[in-house]
């Protein structure tokens, strides 16, 4: 059982059959991370003694300079024996519900659009999560686990739902959309992620989603609608796609108490050509948010998710609009 010593924090933990970051998070330690798939680089640590191997070869989150300085990625590195590392732990990364791995059975699939489906799994061992968090799904025949955000809210932790957009030629989404069947079992590891619903934030809520970012924003809206602490708050939900066939979400939101009074849905398409009869907005999600809420943006707690280009444009717009960074919550998708 490999023992990991964090030299600058003067503490030790065991990491068996796991990555250094995930084993630490399961122990309640605040090991820094974001994507969990080797892409963002947030989980970098310095290896001072011992040996590790990366699960993902040449992960994009590590550059030549990092490699020269003996740095590795906590979300990808597995120890080959006892190791001593240097990493700055932060309470911000501690999980309220400790992540763990469990088998999960596919219990239901629904079409949301031509390329987004909802997959519902029953977990063999229940675990709770916060609205907006994500899990790692290990799928048969797919190298490396993929991150997907939950779309539901849970009191029991036995059902986790995911709204997933097909990526043409993508390994994991091809497996999910074309191969696995109802009753099949996969491994789910979670919850992870810091872009969860802040029930103690005394502000109205703005959810911004594009394409694959639907799932965590639906979970945030569901959680906020049900939260006694947030009953007086408005929830503004902007969802963007290219054309009307990409748009969904209203059917789900309209089942929430307060829909139409304190919960509002604003669909937007970016390619209006040929979209006769479209009555929603036209433009990119960040532009629609700016147009609708302008000088009022700093009064919102803002959650956003979607493809990297959308998230970057949203972030830039919100910073320019002087929304305090502590009110912005997102986990970058890769
Ligand atoms: C925090 C987070 C939450 C996400 N939530 C959602 C969601 O709710 N809905 C949704 O549709 N999508 C979500 N995604 C995107 C999703 O994880 C996949 O990137 C996407 O579905 C494409 O996967 P693919 O295997 O089909 O495509 P591919 O093109 O085969 O793979 C694309 C991605 O998989 C990862 N990857 C590739 N090889 C490996 C490997 N060996 N080990 C680990 N990772 C590897 C890389 O990040 C790469 O960008 C999320 C991503 C992140 C980081
Ligand atoms: S690279 Fe490890 S958390 Fe993103």
């Amino acid at each position: 059982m490999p023992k990991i010593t964090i030299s600058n924090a003067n503490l030790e933990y065991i990491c068996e059959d796991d990555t250094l970051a995930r084993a630490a998070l399961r122990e309640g330690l605040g090991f820094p991370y974001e994507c969990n798939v080797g892409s963002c680089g947030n989980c970098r640590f310095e290896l001072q003694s011992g040996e590790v191997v990366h699960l993902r070869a040449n992960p994009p989150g590590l550059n030549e300079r990092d490699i020269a300085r003996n740095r590795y990625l906590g979300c990808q590195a597995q120890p080959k024996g006892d190791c001593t590392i240097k990493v700055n732990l932060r309470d911000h990364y501690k999980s309220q519900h400790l992540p763990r791995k469990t088998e999960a059975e596919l219990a239901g699939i629904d079409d949301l659009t031509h390329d987004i489906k909802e997959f519902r799994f029953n977990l063999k061992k229940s675990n709770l999560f916060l609205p907006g968090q994500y899990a790692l799904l290990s799928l048969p025949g797919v190298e490396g686990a993929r991150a997907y955000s939950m779309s539901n809210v849970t009191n029991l932790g036995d059902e986790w739902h995911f709204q997933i957009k097909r990526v043409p030629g993508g390994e994991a989404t091809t497996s999910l959309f074309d191969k696995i069947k109802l009753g099949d079992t996969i491994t789910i590891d979670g919850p992870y992620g810091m872009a969860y619903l802040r029930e103690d934030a005394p502000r109205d809520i703005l959810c911004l989603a594009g394409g694959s970012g639907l799932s965590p924003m639906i979970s945030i809206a569901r959680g906020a609608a049900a939260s006694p602490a947030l009953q007086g708050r408005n929830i503004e939900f902007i969802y963007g796609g290219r054309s009307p066939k990409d748009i969904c979400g209203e059917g789900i939101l309209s089942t929430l108490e307060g829909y139409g009074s304190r919960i509002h849905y604003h669909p937007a398409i970016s390619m209006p050509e040929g979209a006769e009869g479209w009555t929603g907005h036209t433009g990119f999600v960040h532009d629609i948010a700016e147009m609708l809420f302008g000088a009022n943006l700093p009064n919102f707690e803002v959650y956003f998710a979607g493809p990297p280009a959308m998230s970057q444009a949203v972030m830039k717009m919100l910073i320019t609009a002087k929304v305090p960074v502590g009110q912005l919550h997102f986990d970058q998708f890769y």
Side-chain angles (χ1 to χ4, degrees), residues 157-232:
D158 53 346
E159 275 188 49
W160 291 25
H161 302 172
F162 303 89
Q163 292 165 350
I164 297 179
K165 184 174 166 73
R166 184 197 277 274
V167 172
E171 273 191 73
T173 49
T174 299
S175 170
L176 280 160
F177 278 68
D178 300 338
K179 296 182 184 161
I180 74 163
K181 305 270 179 300
L182 292 181
D184 286 355
T185 295
I186 65 162
T187 303
I188 290 185
D189 181 4
Y192 295 102
M194 262 63 64
Y196 53 82
L197 178 67
R198 270 46 178 195
E199 292 194 56
D200 55 355
R203 277 172 280 275
D204 287 344
I205 290 169
L206 176 59
C207 293
L208 306 174
S212 56
L214 179 72
S215 201
M217 295 303 107
I218 289 285
S219 181
I220 293 276
R222 283 174 158 155
S227 163
L230 297 172
Q231 281 313 299

Side-chain angles (χ1 to χ4, degrees), residues 32-44 61 73-76 334:
Y33 75 103
E34 185 175 338
C35 72
N36 245 316
V37 293
S39 295
C40 72
N42 275 10
C43 60
R44 270 174 302 208
L73 295 178
C75 74
Q76 298 301 308
Y334 292 94

Side-chain angles (χ1 to χ4, degrees), residues 1-285:
M1 290 207 292
K3 185 177 75 184
I4 311 301
T5 303
I6 305 182
S7 60
N8 54 318
N10 198 22
L11 57 82
E12 295 171 348
Y13 65 100
I14 299 296
C15 179
E16 198 184 8
D17 260 344
D18 214 343
T19 67
L20 265 68
R22 298 204 272 272
L25 293 167
R26 292 184 218 287
E27 290 291 321
L29 302 176
F31 201 114
Y33 75 103
E34 185 175 338
C35 72
N36 245 316
V37 293
S39 295
C40 72
N42 275 10
C43 60
R44 270 174 302 208
F45 67 89
E46 182 188 326
L47 184 66
Q48 297 181 313
S49 73
E51 202 179 332
V52 299
V53 279
H54 272 156
L55 292 175
R56 184 175 177 185
N58 306 316
L62 213 56
N63 60 33
E64 292 296 322
R65 195 158 162 259
D66 294 322
I67 294 165
R69 295 166 80 187
N70 221 22
R71 290 193 172 160
Y72 292 82
L73 295 178
C75 74
Q76 298 301 308
Q78 286 195 315
K80 293 185 83 175
D82 292 352
C83 293
T84 301
I85 65 171
K86 188 175 170 194
V87 65
N88 291 326
L89 302 179
R90 279 184 55 200
D91 283 352
H92 170 69
Y93 295 103
K94 283 184 181 172
S95 303
Q96 187 167 324
H97 302 299
L98 298 184
R100 62 171 183 236
K101 271 190 206 173
T102 182
E103 300 297 292
E105 185 183 309
L106 182 59
I109 308 176
D110 273 329
D111 287 329
L112 298 186
T113 68
H114 65 106
D115 66 354
I116 299 180
K117 285 183 192 281
E118 181 173 273
F119 298 86
R120 296 189 295 280
F121 288 91
N122 290 339
L123 272 60
K124 295 270 156 74
K125 285 188 201 145
S126 303
N127 198 7
L128 298 175
F129 61 83
L130 301 172
Q133 288 195 294
Y134 73 90
L136 296 172
L137 274 56
S138 298
L139 296 156
V142 178
E143 200 186 318
R146 296 290 189 275
Y148 291 106
S149 311
M150 283 69 85
S151 59
N152 60 324
V153 288
T154 181
N155 292 323
L156 298 175
D158 53 346
E159 275 188 49
W160 291 25
H161 302 172
F162 303 89
Q163 292 165 350
I164 297 179
K165 184 174 166 73
R166 184 197 277 274
V167 172
E171 273 191 73
T173 49
T174 299
S175 170
L176 280 160
F177 278 68
D178 300 338
K179 296 182 184 161
I180 74 163
K181 305 270 179 300
L182 292 181
D184 286 355
T185 295
I186 65 162
T187 303
I188 290 185
D189 181 4
Y192 295 102
M194 262 63 64
Y196 53 82
L197 178 67
R198 270 46 178 195
E199 292 194 56
D200 55 355
R203 277 172 280 275
D204 287 344
I205 290 169
L206 176 59
C207 293
L208 306 174
S212 56
L214 179 72
S215 201
M217 295 303 107
I218 289 285
S219 181
I220 293 276
R222 283 174 158 155
S227 163
L230 297 172
Q231 281 313 299
R233 304 289 150 206
N234 291 320
I235 303 167
E236 305 292 343
F237 195 108
I238 304 180
Y239 183 63
R242 289 186 183 179
S243 63
K245 72 180 177 23
D246 299 322
I247 298 300
C248 63
E250 185 170 22
I252 300 170
L253 296 178
S254 64
T255 64
L256 301 178
E257 206 177 317
Y259 185 75
S261 53
R262 71 180 185 106
I263 304 174
H264 306 108
Y265 177 72
H266 313 273
I269 57 168
S270 58
M271 291 168 55
E273 301 76 21
E276 284 82 22
W278 172 250
T279 55
H281 298 286
T282 297
F284 291 113
V285 166

